[in-house]
Amino acid sequence: MNEPRQDVIAAVKHFLEQGTKLLLIDGQWKPSSSKQTIPVLNPATESVLAEVALADRCDVDLAVAAAKRAYEDPNWTDMDPHQRGLYLIKIADLVEQNAEELALLDTLDEGMPFSDSLAMVKDVVKTFRYYAGWPARVHGFTNASPGAIFSYTNREPLGVCGAIIPWNAPFIMAAWKIAPVIAFGNTVVLKPSELTPLSALRLGELILESGLPRGVVNILPGTGAEAGAALVAHHDIAKIAFTGSTAVGKSILSSASSTLKKVSLELGGKSPNIIFEDADLDQAIQVAVKAFTFNTGQGCVLGTRIFIQESVYNEVSQRIIAQVKQLKVGSGVENDTDIGPITNINQFNKVQGYFKIAQEQGATLEVGGETYGDKGYFIKPTVFTNVSNDSRLAQEEIFGPVAVLIPFSDEKEVIQKANDTNYGLGAGIWTRNLSTAHRVAKALNAGTVWINTYLEVDPIAPFGGYKQSGMGRELGQDSMLEYTQVKTVLIRL
Ligand code: NAP
Ligand code: MG
């Protein structure tokens, strides 16, 4: 299904009209202390979708206090793990029942084509169901000890977590933060980006409907400078889970050092997607195009540096360019849209800035390189060639639908070039040769390597970055390590 149904449109309209001016604190919707609100825009039309409450430091204090009370309440601490799992299943069910409404909210707010938003909501359902299996599986070890000693470990929750998420793909970002918090017995104050807070607020309603104890999940749209910084500085927060830019991630890490919070960071990327001459070229080309244009290029893990082996460079580059020319730019609610708008005006301007940089550095513009239409933040999908791997165009995260095509002669050269970046989030390899695939996968410095596919993410597998793409991992068993701490108990018998 590509276009939202009328009843879904009506449900979203109802949601937007009734209650977005409130913050979720302690199981209740409350106005912000300052009563300040901020308009949330539809990037396809530049019209105001809703007014949303803007949390400040006082609201953060209230929410952290509520999360602390919830964390210390035996009702939560001593809850049967099976019951904790049931809450996650209930939330997954509620998200599934309201999938189209949630998808439409992200499409209107963030810009993503409706069919892509819907696929992301399905991933959110999977994420909550995946974590529903964890509470009853958290376990420690019995340590080897001499006869008179009995010693074991427990994995215990951390306490109140602060979660800070960016404006791209906001619904799945919220789910990746909230689901493990619940699974491992923590509580959370989530700060969505004030630019795209709507699906997180609707998720807050569904979490209340699930009956989860009050205060376990608190949701506060606010700015990074005010609400975000207040979370990072707060004494009663044990961990900050942050997704966003590398620059802000670094500043959060340094601010968090004064209270020695645990910090996990999911940051930017400039991921290589490598096409060898023996690849299934039809598949490689089709996926490579999706892998840099998905969500209008606003994805941390997208394959924006496409390396093509010289022997097939002409054919592959021409076919990539031809396919990009076919992509339809438009509003995410239209049936045939491939590329929605950029989410906000700052990012819209930033992407255009890179077109200027490309010109200055003498890159060849093959397709795109300009805006589209006269309303909304639309940018045509863009491909550059004649780009050196050490240029700004090839090294900096643009966060728009922009790829560079770079030829390479052999495996050694492409590994060197692929790794020659400060980032290390994702990488793609296209080959039919099993040995090449494994050798290159091992050699690449990236948290996720895809072989003969790209962009597939499953909550069973850990996700995160090498180098300046992050610290720590989300999803998979690794997230248990991120959201729990180890206690050793030693008994002299
Ligand atoms: P951003 O500017 O770093 O902001 C991310 C979040 O941090 C926002 O909620 C922001 O609030 C908040 N923030 C800003 N300054 C802060 C501070 N001093 N203290 C605490 N919080 C602060 O990133 P963005 O522009 O929203 O998102 C795009 C970036 O996210 C890209 O670099 C992308 O690669 C990265 N990203 C990474 C992943 C991943 O999993 N690795 C996934 C998605 C996106 P405001 O809204 O007020 O700025
Ligand atoms: Mg918006």
Side-chain angles (χ1 to χ4, degrees):
M1 177 203 323
N2 286 325
E3 266 185 51
R5 290 194 317 261
Q6 283 309 316
D7 59 320
V8 174
I9 295 170
V12 164
K13 201 163 163 246
H14 175 71
F15 170 73
L16 293 177
E17 280 165 3
Q18 45 98 41
T20 58
K21 282 194 208 148
L22 302 170
L23 310 170
L24 178 58
I25 299 177
D26 204 13
Q28 286 170 333
W29 293 101
K30 297 182 177 163
S32 63
S33 311
S34 67
K35 305 281 184 299
Q36 214 187 328
T37 63
I38 184 174
V40 173
L41 301 185
N42 177 341
T45 61
E46 299 177 46
S47 58
V48 176
L49 284 167
E51 285 282 332
V52 169
L54 207 55
D56 64 13
R57 260 156 230 282
C58 299
D59 301 308
V60 168
D61 285 343
L62 288 173
V64 173
K68 192 172 178 222
R69 278 195 304 277
Y71 179 71
E72 289 168 353
D73 189 336
N75 185 28
W76 184 239
T77 325
D78 298 339
M79 184 177 279
D80 179 346
H82 294 288
Q83 178 59 42
R84 209 170 267 157
L86 284 175
Y87 282 120
L88 287 156
I89 289 173
K90 178 78 180 159
I91 295 168
D93 290 347
L94 287 166
V95 170
E96 194 168 48
Q97 285 155 24
N98 294 280
E100 287 159 36
E101 186 191 333
L102 289 156
L104 181 55
L105 274 175
D106 260 9
T107 290
L108 293 174
D109 193 0
E110 199 259 17
M112 192 184 290
F114 182 64
S115 52
D116 289 337
S117 294
L118 203 52
M120 285 233 161
V121 174
K122 288 180 181 158
D123 284 342
V124 166
V125 173
K126 228 193 221 180
T127 302
F128 279 105
R129 291 207 174 121
Y130 168 75
Y131 277 105
W134 265 111
R137 285 171 180 76
V138 178
H139 64 270
F141 292 104
T142 306
N143 298 319
S145 322
I149 301 287
F150 175 49
S151 159
Y152 62 92
T153 61
N154 265 342
R155 282 221 156 256
E156 297 185 342
L158 302 171
V160 181
C161 299
I164 301 173
I165 55 175
W167 43 257
N168 64 310
F171 191 52
I172 195 150
M173 292 291 105
W176 282 19
K177 298 287 186 267
I178 290 174
V181 157
I182 298 172
F184 301 116
N186 300 285
T187 61
V188 67
V189 179
L190 171 81
K191 188 202 88 63
S193 167
E194 79 282 12
L195 300 172
T196 55
L198 298 177
S199 55
L201 292 171
R202 181 71 182 107
L203 179 62
E205 291 188 345
L206 297 177
I207 287 172
L208 287 188
E209 203 178 323
S210 77
L212 190 75
R214 59 192 277 187
V216 171
V217 174
N218 304 273
I219 301 177
L220 272 63
T223 65
E226 174 88 19
L231 281 173
V232 176
H234 208 293
H235 271 85
D236 289 332
I237 287 191
K239 171 193 167 82
I240 292 287
F242 171 81
T243 298
S245 61
T246 295
V248 174
K250 285 178 185 176
S251 86
I252 284 179
L253 188 59
S254 88
S255 318
S257 70
S258 65
T259 46
L260 273 187
K261 287 180 176 59
K262 291 186 191 313
V263 176
S264 59
L265 303 171
E266 299 288 354
L267 308 173
K270 188 78 180 181
S271 299
N273 191 9
I274 303 168
I275 303 176
F276 285 96
E277 61 189 1
D278 69 337
D280 175 340
L281 295 183
D282 292 346
Q283 243 336 73
I285 289 163
Q286 195 197 336
V287 177
V289 169
K290 185 80 179 172
F292 84 88
T293 56
F294 180 75
N295 197 22
T296 321
Q298 301 167 115
C300 47
V301 84
L302 298 185
T304 46
R305 282 187 301 149
I306 305 176
F307 291 99
I308 306 166
Q309 198 152 21
E310 270 163 10
S311 50
V312 291
Y313 179 80
N314 283 342
E315 180 195 347
V316 171
S317 57
Q318 287 317 308
R319 288 176 63 191
I320 286 176
I321 292 159
Q323 285 200 15
V324 169
K325 283 183 182 156
Q326 299 299 316
L327 295 175
K328 164 100 177 26
V329 179
S331 161
V333 292
E334 281 159 22
N335 210 351
D336 52 352
T337 293
D338 298 302
I339 311 270
I342 292 282
T343 302
N344 60 75
I345 190 159
N346 287 343
Q347 190 59 29
F348 182 61
N349 292 334
K350 184 179 160 198
V351 176
Q352 291 175 70
Y354 277 96
F355 296 156
K356 221 182 244 158
I357 291 168
Q359 216 170 20
E360 284 159 16
Q361 75 178 53
T364 305
L365 174 67
E366 300 286 357
V367 53
E370 56 184 358
T371 61
Y372 171 85
D374 43 7
K375 223 20 334 40
Y377 311 133
F378 296 100
I379 283 195
K380 292 184 183 170
T382 300
V383 173
F384 289 104
T385 55
N386 287 316
V387 176
S388 156
N389 190 51
D390 56 13
S391 65
R392 287 189 65 188
L393 210 53
Q395 289 291 324
E396 295 179 13
E397 182 177 56
I398 298 173
F399 231 55
V402 183
V404 297
L405 308 186
I406 301 178
F408 69 92
S409 60
D410 59 19
E411 193 179 307
K412 189 162 168 254
E413 180 196 346
V414 80
I415 289 168
Q416 186 275 324
K417 283 190 168 157
N419 285 338
D420 189 11
T421 159
N422 288 331
Y423 293 115
L425 196 55
I429 301 168
W430 294 86
T431 176
R432 287 192 171 98
N433 184 319
L434 198 60
S435 301
T436 308
H438 281 294
R439 253 194 331 267
V440 178
K442 193 171 173 195
L444 291 175
N445 300 326
T448 299
V449 176
W450 285 285
I451 298 170
N452 296 333
T453 183
Y454 206 99
L455 276 186
E456 291 189 60
V457 174
D458 187 309
I460 60 170
F463 181 86
Y466 277 33
K467 299 197 272 186
Q468 295 192 26
S469 285
M471 263 175 50
R473 292 292 178 272
E474 297 194 284
L475 309 178
Q477 177 157 342
D478 290 64
S479 62
M480 177 184 64
L481 309 179
E482 301 281 344
Y483 282 93
T484 58
Q485 54 194 336
V486 180
K487 177 179 283 171
T488 295
V489 180
L490 191 148
I491 309 160
R492 179 157 290 280
L493 299 172

